[in-house]
Amino acid sequence: MVNSVANALNAYQAALSRINGAAAEQPEAAPKAEASFGQVLQNVVEEAADAQKQAEITTINGITGKADIQDVVLAIANAEQALETVVAVRDTAIRAYNSIMQMNI
């Protein structure tokens, strides 16, 4: 049991160092012009879909032995986080719509 916990900790540490390395390699993004609310929502949904596709590709590569298990776990976690963000935005929009519909005119 202790050995598997140590292996898991080492795997998480390796994934974390890869994340930090990838973040350091990416250049700073230039400031973007203001976008409409609809455009922001569309971008969020597209990013979530891209994360899901990447997770599927990485999972298939993991099954065939072409990807590390840490990469698979990281891709799935990113896709899950993106989906949770989309669901949270959707739920907030629905609550706002319901609040507006209940207002007296």
Side-chain angles (χ1 to χ4, degrees), residues 4-20:
S4 63
V5 171
N7 288 342
L9 289 174
N10 289 336
Y12 284 124
Q13 184 63 35
L16 182 61
S17 64
R18 272 188 283 197
I19 291 170
N20 290 338

Side-chain angles (χ1 to χ4, degrees), residues 1-97:
M1 178 69 181
V2 173
N3 192 21
S4 63
V5 171
N7 288 342
L9 289 174
N10 289 336
Y12 284 124
Q13 184 63 35
L16 182 61
S17 64
R18 272 188 283 197
I19 291 170
N20 290 338
E25 293 174 5
Q26 294 178 353
E28 290 290 323
K32 295 182 180 179
E34 290 185 30
S36 68
F37 181 70
Q39 185 64 36
V40 170
L41 288 179
Q42 181 178 359
N43 290 343
V44 169
V45 170
E46 287 174 356
E47 288 175 8
D50 290 342
Q52 182 67 33
K53 288 176 188 175
Q54 184 62 39
E56 290 174 3
I57 291 169
T58 306
T59 302
I60 291 170
N61 287 340
I63 291 170
T64 59
K66 297 177 184 174
D68 223 7
I69 189 69
Q70 292 91 356
D71 295 334
V72 174
V73 171
L74 184 61
I76 291 172
N78 287 340
E80 183 178 3
Q81 184 178 15
L83 180 61
E84 288 175 0
T85 301
V86 170
V87 169
V89 169
R90 180 207 60 189
D91 291 346
T92 303
I94 290 172
R95 279 195 305 272
Y97 175 78

